[in-house]
Amino acid sequence: MSDGTAPVLELRDVRCAFGDHEVLRGVSLAVRRHEVVALIGASGSGKSTLLRTVNLLEHIDDGQILLAGADISDPRVDGDRVRARIGTVFQAYNLFPHLSVLDNVTLAARLVHKVPRPTAEARALDLLSTIGLGSKAKAFPDTLSGGQQQRVAIVRAVVTEPELLLLDEITSALDPELVGEVLDLVRRLKDDGATILMATHEMAFAREVADRVVFLDAGSICEEGPARRVLATPSEPRTREFLARVLP
Amino acid sequence: MTPEVHAPSGLELDRRAYRRRQTARSVLVSLGSTVVFAAVLVLALRSSPGWARVQESFLDPVVAWESLPRVLDGLLLNLRVLFVAALGVLVLGLLLATLRTLRGPVFFPLRALAAGYTDLFRGTPLIIVLYVVGFGVPGLELFGRMDAAFWGTVALVLTYSAYVAEVFRAGIEAVHPSQRLAARSLGLTHGQTMRRVVLPQAVRKVTPALMNDFVAMQKDVGLISVLGAVDAVRAAQIEVAHHYDFTPYVVAGLLFVAMALPVIRVTDWYTARLRAREQMGSLV
Ligand SMILES: Nc1ncnc2c1ncn2[C@@H]1O[C@H](COP(=O)(O)OP(=O)(O)OP(=O)(O)O)[C@@H](O)[C@H]1O
Ligand SMILES: [Mg+2]
């Protein structure tokens, strides 16, 4: 069903409500291959919810979500298979505390993608080494710094080469001096051609790395466009207001 | 060839000497207070008016020695039952706990069944379960002839798996939901998430509680004697009748304590280790 020209991800008029609180009010959005899109917006504007609906961790109440051209909001779709094609990293590092770094990184490859253990571990060690964490492969998460944990979580998400990477405020639980090393890794992923949709509060980083910025306001897209343009000269008053508050 | 070893400063040496003196002092103090306490206890017992009679009928060394082999023999049966029952309890308890975590309307009957089961067997005194299982179930004549120890094991498994299921369930619920979310986002199925992510963490969390239940079960195996199985308690009973003396009961009691002690110590050690890990880097 997927043809080469379809966007990796497409949302068509997606709606999502908790009770009678409408959190997403008709969001339409496309992310093309190798594109990095930054979701910005105030706390509670629906960024995390949007990412969770893409991951099928949240049911949508209307609209359509397409992954590589195929409708994944169809209830007949197997959510586990969809999630296996998408890499996700959350705000708080959700490494598994009872598994070593290496086992954390290879768990999904071995269980879900049926990669033989030696192959999975070789690839994982490779990736860990490129970000300077090769020596920590046998360590357990609670002996790592926050930044190291978050980088391991990112490696865990990309080791299976997902078609799409969802990042939800991956630096907001980190001390400022640890933010840099995590963002460096994201930069590197972009250079390697990853397709990324990320919610972020780091405006400077969004301007530098994102191709496009989407400003979400109370569950609808208020403004979107090239990162530099939207962040430097926003055309909507609400965007200007928001940026005035978050930019020093 | 060792690179320069750091020589502790005079200040640090003083500190170490002080700490050593403090340790020696506290050992002496606790030793002294234990001796005094024990002496008072013994004196009080010995000066009681009925002491001579009690000593003769409960603490007769000759009777103790003569009854020891039989009671020990019985204890072997207790150990066998305990071993099999503990395995059964673990498996059934884990199964019940997992059933109770299943979501979705299809599983309602299973969930309800598991909930009803734990309510029933946590509420019923073990002795009643033993009587019903030991004397009632064989009456159905569905199974071949089984000995009393077998039915005793079944009753123990039924009762204790209900407790252990609740312990497991508490452990499962104590694993943070974000762990489940993280596992599912990686594409793991519900079953894989349970087996590889949630249960391993849950089991670690509840191990001290489980070991505590194991100690409780260790002494409750003595109750299979009511079904006529010749375990340590029943053997002691026979010896009591034989010698007209209660000492064999004391012997059996002490043997049960001796059987429980290693597990109790291991539990204490493990709990302390868990606490130490959680408080890493703090002296208080
Ligand atoms: N499971 C839920 N049940 C009820 N309400 C929810 C649930 N999840 C999110 N919400 C509500 O939806 C709204 C959007 O939440 P969301 O987490 O998407 O915001 P966000 O843009 O990610 O905010 P932040 O920047 O603080 O992370 C909030 O008002 C929140 O209270
Ligand atoms: Mg959020």
Side-chain angles (χ1 to χ4, degrees), chain A residues 80 83 94-96 98 142, chain B residues 178-179 184-185 196 277:
Chain A
D80 294 328
R83 283 186 287 269
N94 295 291
L95 296 180
F96 306 128
H98 62 298
D142 61 354
Chain B
S178 66
Q179 288 285 307
R184 295 305 296 275
S185 327
R196 309 299 289 259
R277 266 197 78 156

Side-chain angles (χ1 to χ4, degrees), chain A residues 47-48 91 168-169:
Chain A
K47 304 181 295 293
S48 299
Q91 172 175 351
D168 191 358
E169 286 180 30

Side-chain angles (χ1 to χ4, degrees), chain B residues 221-245:
Chain B
V221 280
L223 286 174
I224 62 169
S225 56
V226 301
L227 299 181
V230 186
D231 73 329
V233 176
R234 185 92 185 95
Q237 214 166 32
I238 294 167
E239 292 296 301
V240 165
H242 181 73
H243 293 281
Y244 299 109
D245 190 295

Side-chain angles (χ1 to χ4, degrees), chain A residues 55 57 80 83-84 86 88 90 94-99 107-108 110-112 114 142 156-157, chain B residues 176 178-190 192 196-198 200-201 204 277 280:
Chain A
N55 220 348
L57 293 172
D80 294 328
R83 283 186 287 269
I86 301 176
T88 311
F90 298 100
N94 295 291
L95 296 180
F96 306 128
H98 62 298
L99 298 179
L107 185 71
R110 289 185 281 121
L111 285 186
V112 181
K114 311 291 178 206
D142 61 354
R156 181 176 73 177
Chain B
H176 198 274
S178 66
Q179 288 285 307
R180 211 172 308 227
L181 222 57
R184 295 305 296 275
S185 327
L186 287 170
L188 271 65
T189 62
H190 174 82
Q192 286 170 330
R196 309 299 289 259
V197 175
V198 177
Q201 292 184 55
R204 276 176 181 71
R277 266 197 78 156
M280 208 159 27

Side-chain angles (χ1 to χ4, degrees), chain A residues 66-197:
Chain A
L66 296 92
L67 186 65
D71 185 355
I72 56 168
S73 44
D74 185 322
R76 281 164 296 191
V77 166
D78 178 358
D80 294 328
R81 315 245 331 233
V82 170
R83 283 186 287 269
R85 294 164 56 193
I86 301 176
T88 311
V89 184
F90 298 100
Q91 172 175 351
Y93 10 97
N94 295 291
L95 296 180
F96 306 128
H98 62 298
L99 298 179
S100 68
V101 164
L102 192 61
D103 284 342
N104 259 286
V105 173
T106 57
L107 185 71
R110 289 185 281 121
L111 285 186
V112 181
H113 301 266
K114 311 291 178 206
V115 180
R117 185 186 274 269
T119 320
E121 292 191 342
R123 180 160 165 65
L125 277 173
D126 231 34
L127 275 174
L128 287 171
S129 307
T130 59
I131 58 165
L133 288 178
S135 61
K136 298 283 185 189
K138 292 272 182 289
F140 282 82
D142 61 354
T143 64
L144 267 53
S145 77
Q148 291 172 332
Q149 290 188 34
Q150 197 61 309
R151 284 185 289 149
V152 171
I154 296 173
V155 169
R156 181 176 73 177
V158 299
V159 75
T160 53
E161 303 186 327
E163 294 159 54
L164 172 68
L165 197 53
L166 304 176
L167 307 178
D168 191 358
E169 286 180 30
I170 54 173
T171 57
S172 57
L174 296 180
D175 291 337
E177 72 267 25
L178 297 176
V179 169
E181 60 188 45
V182 173
L183 294 186
D184 275 342
L185 178 53
V186 177
R187 251 178 231 119
R188 190 191 297 237
L189 293 174
K190 175 194 163 74
D191 293 342
D192 290 345
T195 309
I196 301 177
L197 178 60

Side-chain angles (χ1 to χ4, degrees), chain B residues 44-118:
Chain B
L45 272 176
R46 298 206 124 188
S47 62
S48 64
W51 169 247
R53 240 186 6 261
V54 170
Q55 187 184 25
E56 194 189 338
S57 54
F58 279 91
L59 299 168
D60 186 330
V62 179
V63 174
W65 181 249
E66 282 176 2
S67 62
L68 186 62
R70 295 261 168 77
V71 179
L72 259 180
D73 253 4
L75 195 72
L76 279 185
L77 178 67
N78 288 119
L79 273 173
R80 278 210 305 277
V81 168
L82 178 66
F83 182 73
V84 177
L87 287 182
V89 165
L90 274 185
V91 172
L92 189 57
L94 202 55
L95 182 74
L96 285 165
T98 321
L99 285 184
R100 291 196 71 173
T101 65
L102 291 178
R103 303 226 169 74
V106 198
F107 296 115
F108 175 76
L110 283 178
R111 268 200 314 270
L113 199 72
Y117 178 96
T118 50

